[in-house]
Amino acid sequence: MLRINGKEQDVAGQALADYLSSVGYNAARVVVEINEAIVPRDRYAGTILRDGDVVEIVCFMGGG
Amino acid sequence: MAPDRETLHAALVERHGAARQAKFDAAHVAVCGLGGLGSNIAVALARAGVGHLHLIDFDRVEPSNLNRQQYAAAQVGLAKAEALKANIAAINPYCEVTAEAVRITEENVAVLLSGDDIICEAFDRAEEKAMLVSSALAAYPDKPVVAASGMAGLESANRISTVRVSKRLYVCGDRTADVADGLGLYGARVLVCAAHQATMILRLIDGSEEP
């Protein structure tokens, strides 16, 4: 289990990029931190979610 | 005739207190994007007496900007960075403004914002927002980033708030309304979001990390 935006999720072992698309996020519009470290945008495919990770995903809305 | 530096500074100290104003005087803030958010944030910070503003936008003033951005009709066609620098000089001539008409990219973030203490994301497009926030947090391990997400449309202004997403990332907005859904952008509601960002920036300068 890991914690994504405050909720327990059973997705350990999944690549971050696959998780993002499975829940409908557009990867170009998100910022992701895992255990308080920013995940560089070119590493979403190579980052594997692990048990105990604390993940924060911000999906930006347009307008300004 | 504008008052001299000492007179204006004394007026700021009278409102804010000497200790807090000294922090505002010394602060360097980067405002990335000078549209409905950034132009209003920059004006709020200049009025508060923030000493150093770094204003960045490659765009020019368009007629469609005038419903919510801090430009005059006669400034249509001018580079936003230069137009806003002039408008801030008229409001607070003692605010040191560095204006750059450049596009911010993943490649230049690490150099472009190196002299700034706090980074304000004030772009329009969601993809650009994510690019800047992600690359700024990665490039600068100590700088806070104050971003915005969700201020389109005319839903209640009460839905707009400031959230501390992680140690150094603050997001202001309702976090759900997207301009791509045809909601439009209204100056008053964009201003609420800009005011949240400007307030959070002043709080950070003052030493408060909570929203």
Side-chain angles (χ1 to χ4, degrees):
Chain A
M1 294 292 266
L2 53 144
R3 184 169 282 269
I4 301 179
N5 290 356
K7 287 186 184 151
E8 297 285 330
Q9 304 273 359
D10 189 13
V11 291
Q14 206 170 350
L16 174 60
D18 294 339
Y19 173 77
L20 291 173
S21 63
S22 74
V23 292
Y25 282 119
N26 175 349
R29 297 173 69 147
V30 301
V31 170
V32 184
E33 287 191 351
I34 298 182
N35 305 327
E36 297 190 353
I38 194 84
V39 183
R41 287 150 59 80
D42 56 3
R43 296 202 202 140
Y44 292 174
T47 297
I48 306 300
L49 299 170
R50 297 181 196 288
D51 265 330
D53 278 348
V54 176
V55 183
E56 292 293 337
I57 301 169
V58 178
C59 183
F60 280 93
M61 300 293 132
Chain B
M1 184 71 182
D4 64 22
R5 179 185 284 269
E6 288 67 33
T7 304
L8 262 190
H9 194 259
L12 290 167
V13 167
E14 189 183 319
R15 291 291 183 209
H16 304 152
R20 184 169 282 165
Q21 190 57 46
K23 295 179 194 172
F24 291 178
D25 293 342
H28 289 72
V29 179
V31 182
C32 303
L34 305 176
L37 295 169
S39 65
N40 285 298
I41 292 163
V43 166
L45 298 178
R47 286 197 188 276
V50 168
H52 312 272
L53 294 177
H54 187 183
L55 307 180
I56 309 162
D57 197 315
F58 66 89
D59 221 347
R60 290 180 179 275
V61 181
E62 294 179 26
S64 64
N65 301 152
L66 298 178
N67 74 329
R68 66 192 190 286
Q69 305 187 17
Q70 289 283 353
Y71 303 102
Q75 291 178 312
V76 167
L78 298 181
K80 286 185 178 181
E82 288 303 327
L84 189 58
K85 182 177 181 174
N87 295 348
I88 286 174
I91 290 166
N92 177 358
Y94 311 110
C95 177
E96 182 194 84
V97 175
T98 304
E100 292 198 87
V102 298
R103 182 186 282 274
I104 301 178
T105 66
E106 271 176 292
E107 288 70 36
N108 67 14
V109 162
V111 173
L112 196 59
L113 308 178
S114 57
D116 303 302
D117 307 321
I118 297 173
I119 297 167
C120 175
E121 178 283 306
F123 285 157
D124 192 355
R125 292 185 55 238
E127 291 81 1
E128 297 286 307
K129 289 169 173 287
M131 177 279 294
L132 171 61
V133 171
S134 203
S135 48
L137 287 171
Y140 302 107
D142 300 316
K143 301 185 193 216
V145 176
V146 180
S149 177
M151 77 304 295
L154 263 184
E155 287 293 312
S156 172
N158 291 342
R159 293 188 53 206
I160 292 174
S161 64
T162 302
V163 172
R164 189 182 189 185
V165 172
S166 61
K167 194 169 188 317
R168 293 185 296 120
L169 174 58
Y170 299 83
V171 177
C172 304
D174 63 30
R175 296 176 298 284
T176 55
D178 195 321
V179 73
D181 296 332
L183 300 172
L185 286 168
Y186 298 86
R189 197 163 191 270
V190 175
L191 197 58
V192 173
C193 190
H196 268 266
Q197 288 182 278
T199 303
M200 192 64 237
I201 291 164
L202 292 177
R203 287 175 58 74
L204 286 164
I205 294 168
D206 192 47
S208 303
E209 294 189 334
E210 292 311 309

